[in-house]
Amino acid sequence: MAPDTLTFGCRLNAYESEAMRDLAARAGHADALIVNTCAVTAEAESQARQAIRRAARADPGRRIVVTGCAAQIAPDRWAGLPGVARVIGNPDKLRPGTWAALDRPAQVSDVMAVRDVPVPPVADVASRARALVQVQQGCDHRCTFCVIPFGRGPSRSVPPGVVAEQVRTLVARGVNEVVLTGVDIASYGAPRLGAMLRGLLAAVPDLRRLRLSSLDPAGMDDDLWRLVAEEPRFMPHLHLSLQHGADVILKRMRRRHLRGDAIALCERARRLRPGIALGADLIAGFPTETAAHHADSLALVEECGLTWLHVFPYSERPGTPAARMPAVPVPLRRERAAALREAGRRAARRFHESRLGRTEQVLMEGNGRGHTEHFAPLRPRGGDLRPGDGFAAPGDAFAAPGDAYRAPGELRAFRVVGHDEDGLIGEVA
């Protein structure tokens, strides 16, 4: 039995929560509740605090362990919440010794002094759907809106051989798709990210599908472009940390690219991999943003041919340079974020329409639903798959011995016959 987790924030946090569940269970702490916090926005912190208070009220005797970026940056604030028995800093949360000594007093380590990346044992795979693998930690850049470097420390990388061994273990357990994650994976080195990925795919030839989490567009290297162009196991999907569409705002954010760089990158990606799906992170309402600047972000969705958007209203982070800049009113931030999200919905609809009649390879993820190579969600026509479709989840009445069925994590071909706001609709091919 493993402890419960509440995870806020990024894919790296999701990976770490699974690893911590496994470490805590091995150390005999199945009764704990692990709360993995995020510091990207004030809303993420508020949600975590509310969740902790609810958990403490629901089960006053349960031990709550708090970790993550928000806890690393301000440990005393989290230690004082009701029910919190221990705050664990980011440098220590993936170390087995931390969980073995959970009952002892602890001090949150100085994340800026950390030079290694703890790599826990590969946790048991609950299903055979995609698995996350950490390849990098920390960030050496100082975007004016971001506190994450102070929660994660300097950039450091997991050795290529260790990455390959983790992926090899997952593939041996039946995982068909792996997503490599980190704080700033484009800064991976040495070797650089593209060379590491090429080596990984050569070392684990049975890995069927490889994806990356969010990429800084300034970090694309020649080997990575070769993978985009030549490697079918590297999925035709990139998610880019673009953040904005106006040069003056990008400069005030202290980003390492400009609008033209983003457009050129997306054009190159489509030229090398026709049909590739491009996603992006975008911030609405950054300080000093005018209506014209916002229009530049809206136009960037079209000019870059973006498909999947993650849109965030700007959130002040104490101590950052952006928090001292002239602010955009909060209602206007939300209004502009809503406009960007609507642009994203229109872009997604266009992409869905472009897939009509095509056959897609879908990674099944439970309830008969899944994602295509382009990361488009797909469900069978009429809802869940039926016995006659040749699909069953383990334990279903029609999954008798000898039946041809597909469990979560299996790859299955579907012909796209429709779409709606939830994604593609397919028939078994």
Side-chain angles (χ1 to χ4, degrees):
M1 182 177 175
D4 294 327
T5 59
L6 294 174
T7 304
F8 300 86
C10 62
R11 281 180 170 177
L12 181 58
N13 262 12
Y15 160 81
E16 291 171 336
S17 289
E18 285 301 308
M20 286 188 289
R21 288 182 79 243
D22 187 64
L23 291 170
R26 291 172 188 240
H29 302 296
D31 59 335
L33 171 64
I34 302 170
V35 181
N36 201 2
T37 64
C38 173
V40 168
T41 65
E43 179 64 20
E45 292 193 29
S46 176
Q47 290 174 356
R49 286 192 296 270
Q50 291 172 14
I52 290 168
R53 292 189 177 101
R54 284 195 299 268
R57 287 195 301 269
D59 189 353
R62 190 177 197 184
R63 177 169 45 184
I64 300 174
V65 178
V66 182
T67 185
C69 290
Q72 173 68 43
I73 293 169
D76 293 343
R77 185 184 309 163
W78 296 87
L81 291 175
V84 174
R86 178 81 177 269
V87 174
I88 299 175
N90 275 339
D92 301 308
K93 66 183 180 183
L94 299 188
R95 300 186 193 277
T98 298
W99 298 95
L102 194 62
D103 296 321
R104 301 177 191 170
Q107 181 178 355
V108 173
S109 302
D110 178 5
V111 74
M112 291 302 178
V114 178
R115 293 296 178 266
D116 67 333
V117 183
V119 180
V122 175
D124 291 336
V125 181
S127 73
R128 289 183 294 163
R130 71 180 55 81
L132 296 166
V133 172
Q134 175 187 226
V135 299
Q136 184 272 343
Q137 263 284 2
C139 184
D140 292 335
H141 310 303
R142 292 296 182 266
C143 295
T144 58
F145 55 84
C146 186
V147 295
I148 297 307
F150 305 103
R152 292 288 183 174
S155 180
R156 51 214 189 272
S157 303
V158 178
V162 176
V163 175
E165 186 56 36
Q166 290 219 317
V167 174
R168 191 178 292 113
T169 299
L170 289 165
V171 170
R173 295 180 183 179
V175 171
N176 280 319
E177 180 174 306
V178 167
V179 182
L180 302 185
T181 187
V183 177
D184 178 26
I185 62 172
S187 68
Y188 186 96
R192 294 191 67 185
L193 179 63
M196 184 274 282
L197 297 177
R198 291 174 65 83
L200 170 63
L201 288 167
V204 193
D206 292 334
L207 174 62
R208 302 284 294 277
R209 293 167 44 150
L210 179 65
R211 290 189 197 277
L212 303 178
S213 61
S214 185
L215 275 170
D216 183 340
M220 295 284 289
D221 63 72
D222 289 342
D223 276 312
L224 187 50
W225 281 119
R226 287 178 61 194
L227 282 177
V228 171
E230 301 171 3
E231 177 52 70
R233 292 185 291 159
F234 187 82
M235 292 296 93
H237 164 230
L238 294 175
H239 191 83
L240 304 169
S241 180
L242 298 185
Q243 307 302 358
H244 211 277
D247 281 347
V248 66
I249 298 297
L250 289 167
K251 291 175 182 177
R252 288 170 185 166
M253 288 179 165
R254 206 178 294 159
R255 299 294 293 167
R256 298 187 298 151
H257 72 278
L258 296 175
R259 176 191 181 84
D261 301 321
I263 294 170
L265 183 153
C266 294
E267 289 175 346
R268 183 177 183 182
R270 286 194 298 271
R271 185 171 64 253
L272 294 176
R273 193 81 169 263
I276 192 170
L278 301 170
D281 296 325
L282 292 172
I283 295 175
F286 186 81
T288 75
E289 182 189 78
T290 65
H293 298 149
H294 171 59
D296 283 341
S297 281
L298 286 169
L300 190 73
V301 177
E302 305 290 333
E303 293 180 56
C304 283
L306 302 177
T307 302
W308 320 121
L309 298 188
H310 289 174
V311 177
F312 307 89
Y314 170 73
S315 178
E316 285 87 353
R317 301 283 72 206
T320 59
R324 300 189 296 270
M325 297 178 186
V328 172
V330 171
L332 188 53
R333 299 179 208 178
R334 293 174 179 161
E335 178 184 320
R336 290 174 179 176
L340 282 169
R341 291 189 184 111
E342 178 55 34
R345 283 190 285 270
R346 291 195 299 270
R349 282 196 294 270
R350 286 195 297 271
F351 182 80
H352 293 154
E353 289 168 1
S354 75
R355 308 311 295 176
L356 288 173
R358 298 174 184 262
T359 297
E360 303 280 0
Q361 295 298 318
V362 178
L363 181 76
M364 306 310 299
E365 298 165 11
N367 295 322
R369 290 155 169 77
H371 281 80
T372 71
E373 292 183 343
H374 298 91
F375 210 62
L378 182 145
R379 71 180 192 279
R381 185 203 294 269
D384 294 348
L385 287 167
R386 302 175 298 279
D389 295 319
F391 177 97
D396 281 357
F398 53 86
D403 282 353
Y405 71 97
R406 296 292 186 269
E410 293 289 325
L411 293 170
R412 188 68 190 251
F414 286 84
R415 185 173 65 86
V416 179
V417 295
H419 68 91
D420 59 18
E421 289 298 314
D422 294 324
L424 300 174
I425 301 169
E427 291 181 343
V428 176

